Amino acid sequence: MAELEIIGLARSNYVWTCRIACAEKGVEYRLTRGFPGTPEMRALHPFGKIPAMRHGGLLLCESKAICTYVDRAFPGPPLIPEEPAAAALVEQWVSLVNTAIDPLCMRRYLYAHVFPGTPDGAPDATAIAAALPALGEQLDLLDRSVAPTGHLVGDGFTLADAFLVPILYYIARLPEAGRIMAGLPALTGYLRRHLARPSVAATEPPPPKPR
């Protein structure tokens, strides 16, 4: 069978999600560096985003499509349950992460720290302060949601967790989100346990270079 190739950057939360999916299913793959917005990525994704995937003659972009393909094309524990209600709940959470949680936590809050666009490169304090009320609401929702079972859906690891964990990993290291999460024991325990999960630990991105 042809080798599966994931194209993108290891530090991307969406690339990491795809790699977690592969690790959960026991799928061997090759990670090829690809940079957003480059002509090379625009040839793979209509908007030049990462990740993309090649598998034989199949080319896919968008992490949800990639992960769904990996889940259905390969044997192993399902990341999207077969039972209709559980499957729908996983799809619901993946959509919430992609349409609400990632845009706020990553694109607004984290980017205000790491890609601030300020003259001296310091974090954008105004953008951070503006994001914090909604950030607190989202983290509180997640804390309540994982408290019953330690997972977003049911009592096992699903694709919903694979999409959320990389985001929490990154924002928990930032001062404001770290302080909020310190008061949310269910969410803090959720992140700690899942970071120790073999599929997550084996695919953890390299630490950022010193600025």
Side-chain angles (χ1 to χ4, degrees):
M1 181 176 289
E3 180 183 43
L4 190 143
E5 179 185 16
I6 296 173
I7 304 103
L9 299 174
R11 292 193 183 99
S12 160
N13 60 299
Y14 283 125
V15 171
W16 191 3
T17 291
C18 292
R19 298 177 69 208
I20 291 171
C22 288
E24 285 286 327
K25 302 291 286 190
V27 177
E28 294 187 5
Y29 66 93
R30 173 162 53 96
L31 177 62
T32 302
R33 284 167 65 86
F35 293 86
T38 60
E40 291 78 12
M41 285 310 304
R42 288 188 178 278
L44 303 174
H45 187 296
F47 304 118
K49 296 183 178 182
I50 58 175
M53 184 210 80
R54 288 193 188 97
H55 188 221
L58 177 66
L59 172 65
L60 285 176
C61 64
E62 289 297 300
S63 54
K64 174 56 172 63
I66 293 168
C67 291
T68 300
Y69 173 75
V70 168
D71 192 34
R72 293 180 178 176
F74 296 93
L79 292 169
I80 302 173
E82 294 182 6
E83 195 277 318
L89 288 170
V90 169
E91 296 285 0
Q92 171 185 274
W93 272 111
V94 170
S95 181
L96 287 170
V97 170
N98 290 342
T99 62
I101 294 170
D102 174 88
L104 173 67
C105 292
M106 299 295 287
R107 313 304 143 180
R108 286 182 59 193
Y109 172 64
L110 182 133
Y111 276 28
H113 275 279
V114 299
F115 303 118
T118 52
D120 60 356
D124 186 336
T126 300
I128 291 167
L132 285 181
L135 181 72
E137 291 177 0
Q138 287 192 358
L139 293 177
D140 186 63
L141 166 66
L142 292 169
D143 183 71
R144 298 194 309 271
S145 299
V146 302
T149 69
H151 301 85
L152 281 172
V153 179
D155 58 2
F157 189 87
T158 69
L159 191 58
D161 301 305
F163 270 88
L164 178 61
V165 168
I167 294 173
L168 296 179
Y169 168 89
Y170 282 117
I171 68 169
R173 286 159 167 71
L174 298 174
E176 304 85 6
R179 285 193 290 270
I180 295 171
M181 290 185 65
L184 300 173
L187 189 60
T188 300
Y190 167 90
L191 178 60
R192 181 180 64 253
R193 288 190 301 274
H194 287 305
L195 288 178
R197 189 175 181 87
S199 64
V200 179
T203 54
E204 182 177 334
K209 296 178 181 179
R211 297 179 65 179

